[in-house]
Amino acid sequence: MGKHNDPAVPPLTLSAALQAAHAHWNAGQAPQAEQLCLRILQGAPDQPDARHLLGVIAHAYGLADVAIAHLRVACRPASAPALYCSNLAEMCRQQGLLDEAERAARRAVAAEPTLAEGWNNLGIILQETGQLAASLECLQRVATLLPDSAEAHNNLGNTCKLLGDNAQALRHYQHALALNPRFVLALCNLSAVLRDDGQHAAALAAVRRAIDIDPLTPQAHQILASLDATHAASPQPAALAPFQAVHAQAQALLLAGRHADADALLQQALADGAGPIALWRQRVAALRALGRDDEARVILERVVAATPGDAGARFDLAEVLLLQGEFEAGWREYRFRYQMPHTVLRGRPMQQPRWEGQPIAGQTLLIHDEQGFGDTFQFLRLVALARARSGARVILEVNAACHALAARSGGFDQIIPAGTVPPAFDCHCELMSLPLALGLRLHDLPVSTAYLRADPQRVAHWRARLATLPRPWVGLVWAGRPSHPNDAQRSMALADLAPLAQPGVSFIGLQMGPAAADAAKPPAGMSLLSLRDEIRDFDDTAAIITLLDVLVTVDSSPAHLAGALGCPAWVLLPFAPDWRWLRGRADSPWYPSMRLFRQPGPRNWGPVLREVAASLAALKQPAGS
């Protein structure tokens, strides 16, 4: 299985490949697991274990047809494991293939009569096909096999309700919630029974509790609507036809950066408080670009009340709340970042539960990074706090490009590069879910400072490399990642920084990526040494930053790296900044060594550059080099 340059390295056996694939999948590393399974199928196209795991992975990412196709092959042999048949049954049930689902479920329980999952799947399938007495018998078996299973009692309650026994259904739902008070579906089912029994207040309390736990559960909102408790003040959907022209015109204005014109158009169209959600969302985009966050927040809160399952609206609300320093509510909404249509495939399905901030002494907690490098640098500060709060053994997984830097940050028991299989763990948490788990508030910042350290050997190398340059040394980064949603507003060309050029200042270009080509033609009067071709990794960048008198940068990963190192950094911010920079302040509570220079209006870099140029002129020569 696989080729190796070193003949002493043994080939990857089928058993080892499968073991590694399952380990990757259990750690949420779907791409690595998938690649190993595909390698297995190259030599054995119908290998059932690889087919089964590929089906499970496809199902987790919403690829139902692909998942079922893999599971059918995995279950083709008469000796197929019961678990494989049970999983095929559940996948078919979800797609409405009830006959095939029942056959697969019966195969599962015949092959392994003690498989609770098999009996559970069969019971639900029989429930959906109206075979209620048989369903009840199956689900009672599950409750016997798993007496502490909240899911078993919830499913029993569903069958009892269909049989017309609301009293028994109520007891099962209450038992399920006693076992798991945050079981959203049981809360929904309990609310429905209470509603049907005329217990309006209790039903309302149960469904509101369900929505508070998981606002994206459709069943909860259906029940809430039936209880006549929707928010009358929320923007109401309207027929789209009269608004189509407005929507198209507003979109063109937004794309052209004419946010004030777009807002005026939308404000007029929505003057009576009615209109499709799409127009309200457009107005939010215009208001945010214009810095009118309070108005945007009011609309977003109303949109979320009207369409609570809209993860995109919740994410936008999260960004506004965090920008305003409303961390408690902001982190709560930010948890839905991977449940939008364009982000769901970027999520990382994990087989272990997410850590929610509770003590788990004696267990192992996997903390893994996500999104961009700047996010990793910013939130590494919370790892040590998570270890102290949880009492767990902490494994930190970070992108290989950040590994060496993060390894010197401490606060963990073991660190591994992303893509390698971690040891067994009990809970996991994304780096950017730590604020929610820890209850991070604005006044808690900065939590820790200078929590990253440069490699001393790299520092020595770069000190010698830059020794001939006159002081002050000013690092320069003029563009961020081109794929960033707000890159057009935050990035510049090097030519735009011409006002910063002045005698006696040595500019050191740390720009990477396509924009680094600008360094070939620096503005007149700017003494610029570009290090693009010499910087190998973030360890080099960190070492250089520690030697600078100041780093001047747009909102980009070097800004966060400098802040995490505790080094002076001046960050140039667009009028509508990213949420982490807050509003109306020249400092950052995240990074005490940082100074913020903000546009006074949209697309207005002139005053920012004049202020930075004046600050550079006042920069004193360091006492020593």
Side-chain angles (χ1 to χ4, degrees):
M1 297 288 309
K3 299 177 181 179
H4 300 275
N5 294 327
D6 184 354
V9 177
L12 190 61
T13 65
L14 173 62
S15 175
L18 285 170
Q19 184 177 6
H22 278 282
H24 279 299
W25 173 240
N26 289 336
Q29 298 167 356
Q32 292 84 355
E34 182 183 37
Q35 287 303 311
L36 281 168
C37 288
L38 291 174
R39 286 175 61 187
I40 292 170
L41 296 187
Q42 288 176 359
D46 292 341
Q47 209 289 323
D49 304 307
R51 286 281 192 174
H52 174 258
L53 184 52
L54 282 171
V56 170
I57 294 171
H59 181 259
Y61 284 96
L63 305 173
D65 292 342
V66 175
I68 289 173
H70 281 303
L71 265 292
R72 282 171 176 160
V73 176
C75 294
R76 195 176 292 159
S79 59
L83 179 62
Y84 294 9
C85 297
S86 179
N87 285 341
L88 175 60
E90 175 60 12
M91 293 179 193
C92 287
R93 182 195 70 79
Q94 291 181 15
Q95 295 305 111
L97 305 172
L98 296 181
D99 289 342
E100 183 178 0
E102 183 176 343
R103 289 194 300 272
R106 291 193 181 279
R107 277 187 66 188
V109 297
E112 190 175 334
T114 59
L115 181 65
E117 183 179 329
W119 286 110
N120 186 69
N121 288 342
L122 179 58
I124 295 173
I125 292 163
L126 295 172
Q127 184 187 99
E128 293 189 5
T129 57
Q131 303 174 65
L132 300 180
S135 170
L136 189 64
E137 182 182 347
C138 290
L139 295 173
Q140 285 170 339
R141 281 178 178 257
V142 178
T144 300
L145 291 166
L146 300 174
D148 295 328
S149 169
E151 290 79 5
H153 285 282
N154 179 65
N155 293 335
L156 270 169
N158 291 341
T159 296
C160 289
K161 187 174 187 298
L162 290 169
L163 285 166
D165 189 350
N166 275 15
Q168 187 62 29
L170 187 63
R171 283 192 285 271
H172 281 299
Y173 295 144
Q174 289 170 334
H175 193 166
L177 290 165
L179 292 167
N180 179 5
R182 295 178 61 83
F183 192 177
V184 170
L185 290 180
L187 282 164
C188 292
N189 293 329
L190 175 67
S191 178
V193 169
L194 292 170
R195 175 200 61 195
D196 294 348
D197 285 349
Q199 301 183 54
H200 183 89
L204 195 58
V207 77
R208 284 182 171 164
R209 166 73 174 153
I211 291 173
D212 183 61
I213 295 170
D214 185 0
L216 303 189
T217 303
Q219 184 180 343
H221 300 294
Q222 293 165 7
I223 295 169
L224 183 61
S226 73
L227 291 166
D228 298 321
T230 53
H231 296 267
S234 301
Q236 299 299 311
L240 184 59
F243 295 97
Q244 285 179 338
V246 174
H247 184 275
Q249 188 177 352
Q251 191 64 23
L253 291 170
L254 290 171
L255 290 173
R258 295 170 57 186
H259 299 106
D261 293 337
D263 178 57
L265 173 69
L266 291 162
Q267 188 173 11
Q268 183 178 7
L270 299 167
D272 63 357
I277 295 297
L279 261 62
W280 290 100
R281 294 289 299 278
Q282 282 184 313
R283 184 150 192 245
V284 165
L287 291 169
R288 291 181 65 187
L290 293 168
R292 292 157 60 183
D293 303 315
D294 289 338
E295 295 172 74
R297 175 177 173 175
V298 169
I299 294 175
L300 281 169
E301 287 173 340
R302 294 172 64 201
V303 168
V304 166
T307 56
D310 186 341
R314 289 189 171 276
F315 181 76
D316 289 346
L317 178 58
E319 291 197 314
V320 171
L321 290 167
L322 293 172
L323 182 66
Q324 295 182 321
E326 298 284 349
F327 278 14
E328 183 177 359
W331 299 129
R332 194 166 59 244
E333 299 297 341
Y334 195 68
R335 62 188 161 140
F336 302 116
R337 59 193 178 277
Y338 292 125
Q339 297 190 39
M340 296 176 283
H342 67 286
T343 62
V344 66
L345 291 180
R346 293 167 54 192
R348 181 171 170 175
M350 302 290 286
Q351 308 312 299
Q352 299 293 355
R354 179 178 285 105
W355 180 62
E356 304 288 352
Q358 74 278 17
I360 51 171
Q363 297 186 37
T364 298
L365 170 62
L366 173 68
I367 298 175
H368 47 99
D369 67 358
E370 53 176 325
Q371 303 188 38
F373 295 120
D375 300 309
T376 298
F377 298 143
Q378 181 178 4
F379 289 93
L380 277 172
R381 74 185 73 214
L382 300 179
V383 174
L385 186 58
R387 183 170 65 167
R389 178 78 60 84
S390 67
R393 179 177 186 271
V394 168
I395 302 171
L396 176 63
E397 177 193 298
V398 295
N399 188 293
C402 304
H403 182 268
L405 261 173
R408 293 190 293 274
S409 67
F412 49 81
D413 297 283
Q414 184 179 352
I415 184 169
I416 59 173
T420 58
V421 180
F425 58 95
D426 302 286
C427 296
H428 82 98
C429 194
E430 302 93 344
L431 265 180
M432 297 183 74
S433 291
L434 287 178
L436 177 62
L438 295 167
L440 185 71
R441 296 158 296 181
L442 183 59
H443 66 257
D444 295 324
L445 295 177
V447 178
S448 61
T449 59
Y451 48 89
L452 293 185
R453 292 181 293 108
D455 178 357
Q457 292 185 338
R458 299 285 187 104
V459 173
H461 164 79
W462 286 106
R463 180 178 285 112
R465 170 69 177 86
L466 303 174
T468 59
L469 295 180
R471 293 278 193 173
W473 295 348
V474 178
L476 211 55
V477 178
W478 52 90
R481 174 170 49 89
S483 59
H484 189 281
N486 200 40
D487 194 62
Q489 280 67 50
R490 68 171 184 163
S491 291
M492 290 182 274
L494 178 58
D496 296 328
L497 301 185
L500 304 188
Q502 51 192 280
V505 176
S506 296
F507 289 95
I508 299 171
L510 304 183
Q511 181 67 50
M512 305 299 284
D518 291 357
K521 295 182 179 180
M526 178 178 285
S527 175
L528 175 69
L529 170 65
S530 174
L531 299 178
R532 174 186 63 173
D533 296 331
E534 300 177 55
I535 294 175
R536 294 166 290 174
D537 51 30
F538 278 117
D539 260 341
D540 277 330
T541 304
I544 297 166
I545 287 174
T546 62
L547 296 169
L548 298 174
D549 293 290
V550 69
L551 171 69
V552 177
T553 176
V554 297
D555 177 10
S556 60
S557 57
H560 293 283
L561 180 54
L565 290 163
C567 296
W570 298 350
V571 182
L572 285 53
L573 296 178
F575 181 68
D578 188 78
W579 59 263
R580 66 202 77 210
W581 304 120
L582 304 171
R583 283 280 194 188
R585 54 190 299 166
D587 66 332
S588 168
W590 296 94
Y591 306 113
S593 64
M594 190 169 283
R595 184 176 169 190
L596 306 179
F597 295 79
R598 299 176 181 271
Q599 285 184 340
R603 302 176 183 271
N604 188 1
W605 284 117
V608 172
L609 295 173
R610 288 192 292 272
E611 185 180 1
V612 173
S615 297
L616 285 176
L619 195 64
K620 293 181 179 179
Q621 180 76 24
S625 60

